[in-house]
Amino acid sequence: MKTTLSIFILAILIAGCSGGQPAVPPPAPQALQVMSLQGNLQTTYTEYPASIQGAIDLEIRPQVSGILDKILVSEGAAVTKGQPLFKIDERPFKEALNTAKAQLHAAQASVTNAQIEVDKLTPLVKNKVVSDYQLKTATSSYQSALANVEQAKAGVAAANINLGYTLIKAPVSGYVGRLPKKQGSIVSPTDPIALTQLSDAHEVHVYFALGEDDFNAFNAKYPGNTVNERLKKLPGVSLLLADNTVYGKEGKIDMVDGQFDKQTGSISLRATFPNQQGLLRSGNTGKIRLKLDHDNAITIPQSSTVEVQDKIFVFVVDGSNKVTRTPITISGTTGTNYLVQEGLKSGDRIVFDGIDKLKDGDTIKPEKLKEEPITTASR
């Protein structure tokens, strides 16, 4: 009985000395996937809204006034240089040509009469039958008649030119635009609306604009003493059409505007694309995609980052598997990746996922990645 009571009292004393709470072991480190960073060549793409124009876009206008007698093409038709497009009623111009020819014939007859008068007076003056004043007057009339002939010839030539203007031909090969004038309409060189637009689109010019920062980066990436030197070093550019498909031919940037637009703060550039199949037309829109290569670039998934007050952070894992929240600067993105400009280097390790469970200074148990993230970057 005494032994049992002693054991009971001893148990109470031991429990009191231990505070009544069993010892709790520290939590095990979280097992999280970790990726090692490796710098390599990456490519970013920057897209800019663009407008497309034919290599030559012309307004077709009449050079004489008259009635539009015939329309010899259809809207959207492909035409060749020299092909007839429109016919203006030529009858008034034929009559004007006939009148000019008649005036020429009259002037030539006047020359003949003046020559006869000079020939008649020359011997009479020589024999002092008449005064030389009469001969001088006849000679002057003869010279005036010759000038009238030249003037009449010019009138005939002008009438011929105007008659030729009644047939309007294509100055270049290309595609015909809308035809706002109908047969029987009165047309004039001063009309506010052209007869049609003609676009030579065997190659097209695609215009886009760069902001000041992008233009400075453009100049820094492709050095040269002049704009032409930098243009020669540029790689080809791609054209994204309105349906987001990529046009099958690469283009070449061949023009940079001479100054910035004061209103938009941007500068215009032009890329030229081949268009032998006629897939592109003037007035199309799209996007120019510029490619930029980055040597020894670091790429990380966006899901491995956290954004706090407009700053982007990653959790860097040190040699003892302790994590540190580190700010980074990015220079490009894709739908899933960031291209890191500052803050990380080759050989660094970062937490791949589960960062919502972490805080600065935690220790983790690194695990190998289950799959490699996509590394192609674009901007």
Side-chain angles (χ1 to χ4, degrees), residues 24 36-37 53 58 80 99 106 139 153 169 172 180 192-193 200 209 225 233 277 297 317 352:
V24 179
S36 295
L37 303 181
Q53 296 181 14
L58 298 176
T80 57
T99 300
T139 302
K153 287 181 179 179
K169 299 179 181 180
V172 296
I193 301 176
D200 177 6
N225 295 325
K233 298 176 183 179
Q277 295 180 341
V317 184
F352 178 69

Side-chain angles (χ1 to χ4, degrees), residues 123-141:
L124 296 177
V125 171
K126 184 177 181 180
N127 294 324
K128 298 184 179 181
V129 175
V130 297
S131 68
D132 62 349
Y133 174 78
Q134 289 178 291
L135 179 59
K136 290 179 180 179
T137 301
T139 302
S140 176
S141 298

Side-chain angles (χ1 to χ4, degrees), residues 215 218-220 222-234 256:
F215 186 66
F218 165 85
N219 286 329
Y222 304 104
N225 295 325
T226 65
V227 172
N228 288 335
E229 287 182 6
R230 285 192 288 272
L231 291 179
K232 291 177 182 179
K233 298 176 183 179
L234 287 178
V256 178

Side-chain angles (χ1 to χ4, degrees), residues 50-116:
S51 61
I52 300 173
Q53 296 181 14
I56 301 176
D57 285 333
L58 298 176
E59 287 187 340
I60 304 300
R61 292 182 175 273
Q63 293 180 274
V64 293
S65 300
I67 297 175
L68 188 58
D69 191 32
K70 295 178 181 178
I71 299 175
L72 305 174
V73 291
S74 301
E75 291 181 342
V79 297
T80 57
K81 182 178 180 179
Q83 180 176 335
L85 304 178
F86 303 95
K87 188 75 171 68
I88 295 174
D89 186 4
E90 65 181 12
R91 290 174 298 175
F93 299 94
K94 282 187 174 180
E95 292 305 319
L97 177 60
N98 291 334
T99 300
K101 288 179 178 179
Q103 292 173 345
L104 173 61
H105 294 153
Q108 290 170 336
S110 297
V111 169
T112 302
N113 290 333
Q115 181 66 56
I116 291 172

Side-chain angles (χ1 to χ4, degrees), residues 12 52 102 177 238 243 282 323 361:
I12 293 175
I52 300 173
S238 300
D243 59 357
S282 285
V323 300

Side-chain angles (χ1 to χ4, degrees), residues 25 33 62 78 84 103 119 123 127 151 168 170 185 188 216 218-219 232 253 294-295 313 319 336:
Q33 293 186 75
Q103 292 173 345
D119 293 342
N127 294 324
Q151 185 177 15
I168 301 172
S185 301
S188 168
N216 290 337
F218 165 85
N219 286 329
K232 291 177 182 179
I253 297 177
H294 303 265
D295 295 327
F313 296 86
T336 58

